[in-house]
Amino acid sequence: MNFQKYLCTLALGALCCWSSLAAAKESQAFLMVNPDLQVENVEVERTYSGPTLLFSDSPEMVYQNGILYQDKIQGRVRLFFHHVNAVERNKKLAVVLRNEKMRPLRYKILRQGMAGKTYNYLWDGKESQKRYFAEAKPKVKEGKLGFYQSQELLSGKGVILPNNQLYTGTMDLEVDRPALLSVFMCEANANLELFYENAQVQPMDEHPLRGTFPQSDWEYTITKPITGQKPVKLKLASAEEGYIKGVDATTGLPAENYGNYGVVYKVNFTVDSRRPVSFIVNPTGGYFAGYGVLEHKGKRQLMAIPDFDLSLGGRVEEAVELCRLKSGQYSFIWSPPGASNLPIELLWAPSRRALEK
């Protein structure tokens, strides 16, 4: 994340809809939400489940070789990492799974989306989300590790990063026995096994954005149908909502994920309206570039946010109408993208003009 994003999180707390989604328009629309407009909050029921999240983002700008984050894992795990090579020579970023027990273990990579090696951090975050959500059932990669064996998970040998380039991503894993998962930065020509033997854990930078957090799937169900008679909203990844809490495994200290990076949200809602309802995303925290998935009647649509530009949110009023929805039951799935600012609001309105007045 960047410093602007951190301040925003604390301070503020390609879509083409197909006919089965009953959309009344075929492209996204930019709009300016009236900041003085009073919009009612929807009521929701919340459930928390899913994998344990390992979050590695501090230090974001990496100046020293070493371990950036690590923890012992077993079962379902999600890794979210976000790091920049801050020195004026190539470095290697690696994610290593190590078996430190006598008995062999099996692991699976269930889903992943990584991007980077550019100077455009918003593009990196958006592209990694696109790759993570692209497939409904991605191909599972499996492996086995004997005693004291390890496997680098990004490419088999790490990723080379030039100066000031970012690499970010999300990876869902399943491990049947205890293992150690480590994210580290080292010299470009370093042997990962040898480097790891003497690697030291790097201290965090000024932004406390790392840790291990339980139950990183957050499912919200809006309790009342959306009628389209008046605008309503749901704010996500905000201080008001609350951030996921856990422990920094490298220090044992409490940790809080400001922005809920790596948390996957699923928002279930019902539209009950005689006319199509505008479905809108408003990034109130600043520049935002991401992806989401809209599900309806067993079908899913991958949605760029926005599809007409890399990002939006330069002003708090900037928003995007993703589509218009007829009556039915829907789910919207998304996760806070690396390099984007938060929070965001999901808005439902009789029309986008209803928010611009």
Side-chain angles (χ1 to χ4, degrees), residues 325-343:
L325 301 174
K326 289 185 178 179
S327 292
Q329 294 182 333
Y330 299 87
S331 294
F332 181 67
I333 302 166
W334 78 289
S335 186
S340 281
N341 297 284
L342 298 163

Side-chain angles (χ1 to χ4, degrees), residues 96-99 145-146 148-152 193:
V96 174
L97 183 69
R98 179 182 292 259
N99 181 10
L145 295 177
Y148 220 67
Q149 288 184 332
S150 61
Q151 177 63 44
E152 202 286 319
E193 294 286 344

Side-chain angles (χ1 to χ4, degrees), residues 1-204:
M1 308 324 113
N2 54 39
F3 184 54
Q4 177 190 6
K5 178 194 311 180
Y6 180 71
L7 289 178
C8 288
T9 56
L10 292 179
L12 296 175
L15 173 62
C16 180
C17 289
W18 64 97
S19 59
S20 66
L21 277 183
K25 65 189 296 299
E26 294 185 349
S27 61
Q28 294 183 3
F30 175 84
L31 69 148
M32 298 291 287
V33 175
N34 182 348
D36 297 323
L37 186 67
Q38 297 299 311
V39 180
E40 182 179 333
N41 292 305
V42 297
E43 295 181 0
V44 298
E45 294 178 349
R46 307 181 185 186
T47 59
Y48 306 98
S49 62
T52 297
L53 169 66
L54 272 65
F55 178 31
S56 182
D57 182 44
S58 185
E60 177 187 17
M61 307 296 294
V62 182
Y63 294 93
Q64 303 292 331
N65 294 333
I67 296 168
L68 307 176
Y69 191 67
Q70 69 176 9
D71 197 1
K72 295 179 180 179
I73 65 170
Q74 185 175 4
R76 293 285 299 273
V77 173
R78 176 176 298 134
L79 171 67
F80 183 97
F81 63 93
H82 182 99
H83 295 287
V84 176
N85 173 20
V87 300
E88 294 184 357
R89 63 182 182 275
N90 289 353
K91 289 288 186 130
K92 184 187 298 182
L93 179 70
V95 174
V96 174
L97 183 69
R98 179 182 292 259
N99 181 10
E100 297 186 313
K101 302 294 184 180
M102 292 292 294
R103 295 178 61 180
L105 66 82
R106 295 184 181 275
Y107 68 90
K108 298 178 181 179
I109 300 177
L110 306 174
R111 180 184 292 274
Q112 60 183 328
M114 278 87 72
K117 302 178 69 173
T118 78
Y119 300 105
N120 190 329
Y121 300 168
L122 281 170
W123 183 93
D124 293 342
K126 187 174 185 178
E127 183 66 17
S128 70
Q129 293 284 293
K130 178 183 178 180
R131 296 174 184 178
Y132 180 78
F133 286 121
E135 300 178 65
K137 296 181 179 180
K139 184 178 179 180
V140 175
K141 299 179 181 179
E142 302 185 49
K144 182 178 179 180
L145 295 177
F147 173 60
Y148 220 67
Q149 288 184 332
S150 61
Q151 177 63 44
E152 202 286 319
L153 300 179
L154 298 181
S155 70
K157 54 184 179 181
V159 173
I160 302 300
L161 282 180
N163 170 243
N164 283 332
Q165 290 195 4
L166 165 74
Y167 203 69
T168 186
T170 309
M171 179 185 297
D172 288 359
L173 302 165
E174 187 172 41
V175 183
D176 70 348
R177 297 188 59 78
L180 184 66
L181 187 65
S182 305
V183 181
F184 56 82
M185 190 87 81
C186 60
E187 296 300 322
N189 61 355
N191 179 286
L192 296 181
E193 294 286 344
L194 295 177
F195 171 80
Y196 182 79
E197 293 302 321
N198 297 304
Q200 301 296 311
V201 176
Q202 293 298 298
M204 287 188 293

